[in-house]
């Protein structure tokens, strides 16, 4: 059974833990996840000796701590809402404070993989419910009535018979003296009882954002801070052989300049030249005069044009059983399915390398501490890992590295890596001065951990009744050493519809690639949905069948696919969102001449999402996306405002990426260095985006990522239906299309 | 290197040792501590650094501070009234909960306020033209458009 033990913190202990010094009585509710399964999954699970504190009620007010990194996905608002719902507190009474970075106190603090909401769901609900029960008990004792006769609403406990009511603030003192009930004995609210969840709540720090108040890591200013830049080899992995350091040191505004060797890990500390100046512009100006001779003997020589050409040759051939590719999955009798097929089809799809291009370039303020430690303000999606990485880099204990949480000017997976924190720490340690390291956009784009491109050669078999009977998928992906696949480039055996196919063989060939790759919004899915869901459409067209009906047939009976838990694809949930999207978009309706609908589904991050795009295509292959209908099953919706924002943003991001985004590595150098060469979508001709949630009592899924993957296949399927042309490369600009 | 005087948000500021080519962006951020004007690309591509010079939107990363001497400079910090009342555009941004990561939004708001100052009832095409220089990586364009229309309505109601 699950083991969220909830502990009350005595006031002294609570003050000690939360670093608070204020007066007033405090009810600290601690939640400890002692479920061994979770403990195994989360090596950072808090221990019983250092409980986490999410909530504080005192005579001064009600404070909920936002513990997860805010990257624009809205968790500073939505996760506290989960606790507030069970507490039955009026949202306007809640003050949200940002929790410190502390694994022992808060457990995992990570923004990645759309996990923050599901990870927080039970602990936050239980913390709220326990606190509420204690407040009720406090009121019941005060009034000498039975707790069961008391109700709560809007931060108050009420006793109907006597008409008495008391605000939580005024009950906290007594509540804090009571024993903590076992959370398992408490009844959590059912979805129909929610008053706060699934409503529209505005972002917690909205006023700061519209007023330009210091908000981001890049806004941090500390006394005596020097402005640093760090110049790395344009060819990834190059080392500094020599540089005109003395000449640059004498330039105006320059305080220091030195070479750092790097620690051998290109995702932590690359070799380079650090410039320290009195302001950013002095550093930038001096940088122009900096001449570095690079040792490129061990630098990357990755080259996308030639690699793509090689992959295009390899992909179709490798799909045969005869080749020496790695087997990812094989089920059923694939050879027979193809041999006895009425019709077979094959096609090769490709998708480009992508940049994260979060709008706030990488930066980090760092201040050396006495005794070799470091204090940092990094824009990190994984601040706890930043602490670990910096401690290791500096050779100090983690306790000597303090991380101040920051709101991030975008993440999209880029800031799962903590290279900028490592660089800032190394520079500050060497200079023994507080520094602000600022990357310029060119640094950011050429030192990204990019989304890997790749290819898929797909083959499908149809029987005489137009049913999909066989499937082969040969993926071309990359590896630095022939063994470890680049991050985000691994096609799973159970990716999306794979487990639904009667006979399937999935193989993989690997080409060498040494430049760092990483997770990009909806890792894997953001790339794989396009070939997989487009080729399914090719099959239904070949079968002469309606695509929705074809997909529903594949889904079959309502059931969980293996491993048959709430983290797996559920065919009923998948069919539910497909039907909902189709119905809302008017699937099958008569459309004006030249317009067509396309539908696609994708399962990622435990979310079931279907989308229908309505498009038209002109003679110059310009696509107008008139509408995108999104149907989502993520269980219960937390903040409707935020949930819709993530859907809208994901559709725009999907459009933006598929239209014209691609990175071109040429002999280890990335060509696209700024937004003049890398097209982020601007305002104008946004499609109408209709969003529908199929709410359920399944555990919630996060929403930062899963709406993105179906965008490209839904649009490309619609394009085929509108003009008869099948797009098989992303970005679509590679095939002469535009949006 | 010279000393310059800038009129920022209605206040005169003296800034020492400003190289003639130093962009207004870095004077604002590093020398004056006005960090609400943000850095995104440094080459007039993204609009994160948008401020007003005499009411016109400009990209502070690409305008030397020396060229702003003698002009009224308004940054996001100077948009609200002295008593803290938000500009109608800021208010609309809150009501529509526009921001996701929020990093682009200072620039978006500065472009939108400049638009509404000269066009009280912008069409969608007017919005597209006026806001084309501001990238939102999070894709908040749907809400930006709605917020501009509702700010326009609110401003017209005041006249
Ligand atoms: S930073 Fe000035 S336009 Fe991007
Ligand atoms: S809200 Fe993130 S860039 Fe616009």
């Amino acid at each position: 059974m699950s083991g969220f033990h909830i502990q009350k913190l005595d006031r002294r202990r609570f003050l000690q833990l939360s670093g608070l010094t204020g007066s007033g009585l405090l009810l600290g509710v601690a939640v400890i996840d002692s479920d061994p399964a979770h403990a195994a999954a989360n090596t950072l699970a808090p221990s019983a000796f250092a409980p986490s504190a999410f909530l504080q009620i005192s005579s001064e007010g009600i404070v909920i701590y936002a513990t997860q990194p805010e990257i624009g996905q809205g968790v500073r608002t939505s996760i506290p809402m989960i606790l507030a719902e069970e507490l039955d507190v009026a949202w306007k009474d809640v003050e949200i404070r940002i929790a410190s970075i502390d694994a022992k106190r808060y457990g995992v603090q990570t923004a990645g993989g759309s996990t923050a909401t599901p990870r927080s769901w039970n602990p936050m609900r239980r913390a709220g419910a326990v606190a509420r029960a204690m407040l009720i008990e406090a009121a019941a004792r005060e009034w000498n009535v039975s707790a069961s006769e008391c109700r709560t609403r809007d931060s108050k406990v009420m006793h109907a018979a006597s008409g008495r009511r008391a605000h939580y603030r005024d009950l906290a003192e007594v509540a804090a003296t009571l024993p903590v009930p076992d959370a398992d004995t408490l009844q959590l609210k059912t979805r129909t009882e929610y008053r706060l969840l699934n409503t529209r709540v505005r972002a917690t720090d909205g006023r700061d954002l519209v007023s330009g108040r210091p908000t981001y890591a890049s806004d941090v200013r500390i006394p005596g801070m020097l402005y640093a830049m760090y110049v790395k080899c344009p060819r990834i992995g190059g080392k500094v052989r020599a540089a005109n350091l003395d000449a640059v040191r004498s330039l105006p505004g320059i305080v220091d300049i030195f070479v750092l060797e790097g620690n051998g890990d290109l995702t932590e500390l690359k070799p380079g030249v650090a410039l320290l100046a009195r302001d950013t512009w002095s550093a930038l100006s001096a940088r122009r005069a900096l001449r570095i001779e690079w040792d490129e003997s061990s630098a990357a020589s990755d080259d996308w044009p030639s690699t793509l050409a090689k992959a295009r040759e390899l992909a179709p051939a490798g799909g045969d059983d005869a080749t020496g590719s790695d087997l990812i999955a094989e089920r059923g009798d694939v050879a027979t399915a193809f041999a006895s097929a009425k019709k077979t089809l094959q096609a090769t799809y490709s998708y480009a390398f992508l940049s994260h291009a979060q709008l706030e370039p990488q930066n980090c303020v760092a201040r050396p501490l006495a005794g070799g430690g470091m204090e940092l303000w990094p824009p990190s999606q994984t601040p706890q890992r930043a602490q670990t990485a910096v401690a290791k880099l500096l050779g100090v204990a983690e306790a000597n590295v303090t991380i101040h949480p920051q709101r991030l000017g975008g993440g999209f997976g880029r800031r799962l890596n903590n290279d900028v924190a490592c660089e800032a720490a190394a520079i500050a340690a060497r200079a023994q001065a507080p520094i602000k390291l600022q990357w310029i956009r060119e640094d950011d784009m050429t030192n990204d951990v990019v989304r890997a491109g790749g290819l898929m050669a797909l083959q499908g078999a149809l029987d005489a009744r137009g049913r999909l009977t066989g499937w082969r998928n040969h993926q071309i992906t990359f590896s630095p050493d022939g063994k470890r696949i680049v991050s985000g480039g691994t096609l799973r055996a159970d990716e999306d519809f794979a487990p639904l196919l009667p006979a399937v063989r999935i193989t993989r060939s690997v080409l060498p690639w040494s430049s760092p790759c990483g997770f990009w919004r909806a890792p894997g899915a953001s790339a794989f949905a396009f070939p997989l869901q487009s080729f399914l459409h090719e099959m239904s067209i070949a079968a002469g069948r309606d695509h929705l009906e074809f997909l529903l047939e594949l889904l079959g009976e309502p059931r969980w696919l293996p491993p048959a838990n709430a983290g797996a694809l559920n065919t009923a949930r998948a069919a539910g969102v497909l039907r909902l999207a189709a119905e809302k978009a008017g699937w099958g309706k008569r459309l004006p001449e030249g317009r067509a609908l396309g539908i696609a589904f994708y399962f990622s991050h435990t979310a079931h999402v279907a989308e229908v795009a309505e498009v038209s295509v002109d003679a110059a292959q310009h696509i107008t996306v008139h509408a995108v209908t999104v149907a989502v099953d993520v269980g219960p919706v937390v903040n409707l405002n935020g949930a819709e924002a993530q859907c809208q943003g994901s559709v725009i991001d999907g459009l933006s990426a598929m239209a014209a985004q691609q990175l071109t590595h040429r002999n280890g150098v990335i060509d696209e260095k700024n937004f003049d060469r890398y097209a982020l979508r601007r305002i104008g001709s946004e499609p109408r985006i209709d969003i529908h949630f199929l709410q359920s009592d399944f555990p919630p899924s996060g929403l930062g990522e899963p709406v993105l993957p179906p965008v490209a296949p839904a649009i490309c399927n619609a394009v085929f239906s509108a003009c008869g042309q099948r797009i098989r490369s992303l970005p679509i600009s590679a095939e002469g299309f535009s949006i | 290197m010279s000393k310059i005087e800038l009129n920022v948000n209605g206040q005169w500021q003296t800034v020492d040792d400003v190289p003639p080519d130093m962009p207004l962006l870095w004077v604002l951020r590093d020398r004056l501590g006005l960090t609400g004007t943000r850095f995104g690309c440094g080459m007039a591509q993204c609009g994160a650094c948008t401020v007003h010079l005499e009411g016109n939107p400009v990209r502070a990363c690409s305008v030397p501070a020396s060229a702003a001497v003698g002009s009224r400079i308004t940054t996001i910090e100077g948009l609200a009234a002295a008593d803290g009342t938000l500009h109608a555009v800021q208010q609309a941004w809150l009501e529509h909960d526009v921001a996701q990561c929020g990093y682009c939004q200072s620039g978006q708001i500065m472009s939108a306020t400049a638009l509404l100052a000269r066009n009280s009832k912008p069409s969608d095409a007017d919005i597209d033209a006026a806001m084309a220089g501001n990238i939102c990586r999070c894709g908040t364009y749907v809400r930006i458009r709605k917020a501009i229309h509702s700010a326009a309505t609110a401003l017209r109601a005041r006249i």
Side-chain angles (χ1 to χ4, degrees), chain B residues 14 25 54 73 101 122 142 149 155:
Chain B
T14 306
L25 172 66
E54 295 295 339
I73 302 163
C101 84
V142 175
H149 283 306
L155 284 167

Side-chain angles (χ1 to χ4, degrees), chain B residues 25 38-49 59 61:
Chain B
L25 172 66
R38 301 209 156 93
F39 167 60
C41 68
M43 60 182 302
Q45 287 288 318
C46 75
C49 64
R59 313 300 172 211
C61 69

Side-chain angles (χ1 to χ4, degrees), chain B residues 48-103:
Chain B
C49 64
T50 307
V51 299
H52 296 174
L53 273 195
E54 295 295 339
N56 296 314
V58 298
R59 313 300 172 211
C61 69
S62 303
V63 174
S66 54
V69 172
S71 302
R72 265 183 315 118
I73 302 163
T74 309
T75 70
I76 186 79
E77 291 93 342
L79 217 49
D83 68 354
T85 308
L86 294 178
H87 187 288
V89 169
Q90 292 170 304
Q91 192 58 44
W93 246 246
L94 283 184
E95 276 157 22
H96 291 272
D97 210 18
V98 172
Q100 286 188 29
C101 84
Y103 194 77

Side-chain angles (χ1 to χ4, degrees), chain A residues 71-72 201-203 206-207 209-216 218-219 221 227 252 278-281 284 288 355-361 407-410 412 436 438-442 520 641 644-646 648-649 652-653 674-676 680-686 689, chain B residues 1 16-19 21-23 26 29-33 35-36 38-43 45-46 48 76-77 84-86 90-91 93-97 99-106 109 127-128 131-146:
Chain A
I71 63 175
V201 172
R202 288 186 204 153
R207 196 171 163 111
L209 297 178
V210 302
S211 309
R213 294 212 188 104
T215 303
Y216 303 96
S218 46
D219 300 341
R221 297 161 64 85
Y227 291 79
R278 68 166 174 183
D279 55 36
T280 312
W281 184 247
L284 250 174
R288 287 197 216 122
S355 177
H356 289 90
Q358 78 292 338
L359 201 58
E360 177 192 28
R407 185 185 182 93
L408 276 60
F412 310 103
K436 167 186 245 172
Q438 176 69 60
W439 288 19
I440 55 174
R441 176 59 54 187
E442 289 77 2
W520 188 97
N641 235 1
E644 287 174 344
Q646 288 308 305
Q648 291 166 338
I652 302 283
D653 195 8
N674 207 320
F675 299 144
D676 55 339
L680 293 175
R681 196 163 183 86
R682 294 169 189 274
I683 200 167
S685 57
E686 309 84 68
I689 302 171
Chain B
M1 289 286 173
D16 290 325
D17 290 342
V18 177
D21 58 350
M22 181 170 183
W26 299 115
R29 287 185 62 82
D30 294 354
R31 300 286 189 86
L32 299 178
T35 53
R38 301 209 156 93
F39 167 60
C41 68
M43 60 182 302
Q45 287 288 318
C46 75
I76 186 79
E77 291 93 342
T85 308
L86 294 178
Q90 292 170 304
Q91 192 58 44
W93 246 246
L94 283 184
E95 276 157 22
H96 291 272
D97 210 18
Q100 286 188 29
C101 84
Y103 194 77
C104 71
Q105 301 296 350
S106 293
I109 290 170
I127 292 174
D128 290 351
M131 305 299 293
N134 292 83
I135 289 172
C136 176
R137 172 67 180 85
C138 300
T140 61
Y141 301 127
V142 175
R143 294 187 184 191
I144 286 174
R145 186 183 302 283
K146 279 196 187 138

Side-chain angles (χ1 to χ4, degrees), chain A residues 147-160:
Chain A
S148 63
E149 291 167 22
C150 297
R151 291 189 307 117
T152 55
R153 177 157 286 194
D154 290 342
S155 328
K156 289 184 207 73
V157 181
M158 292 165 292
H159 184 250

Side-chain angles (χ1 to χ4, degrees), chain A residues 466-544:
Chain A
R467 288 179 305 198
L468 187 58
T469 49
W471 182 272
R472 288 193 186 112
N473 180 355
H474 178 225
Q475 186 207 12
I476 309 289
T477 186
F478 305 101
S479 168
D481 56 8
K483 295 185 212 88
R484 192 170 45 83
I485 304 297
V486 292
S487 290
T490 309
L491 180 67
R492 296 198 331 260
D494 61 348
E495 186 78 27
D496 198 40
F497 270 33
L500 295 163
L501 304 166
V504 58
R505 181 180 163 84
I506 304 174
T507 52
R508 170 174 69 209
S509 292
V510 173
L511 291 175
W513 193 270
S514 63
S515 307
C517 298
F519 292 145
W520 188 97
R521 196 176 203 173
S526 67
F528 308 150
F530 163 66
L532 296 175
Q533 290 282 324
S534 296
F535 192 64
L536 281 171
H537 188 229
E538 292 204 52
M539 296 305 295
S540 71
I541 295 283

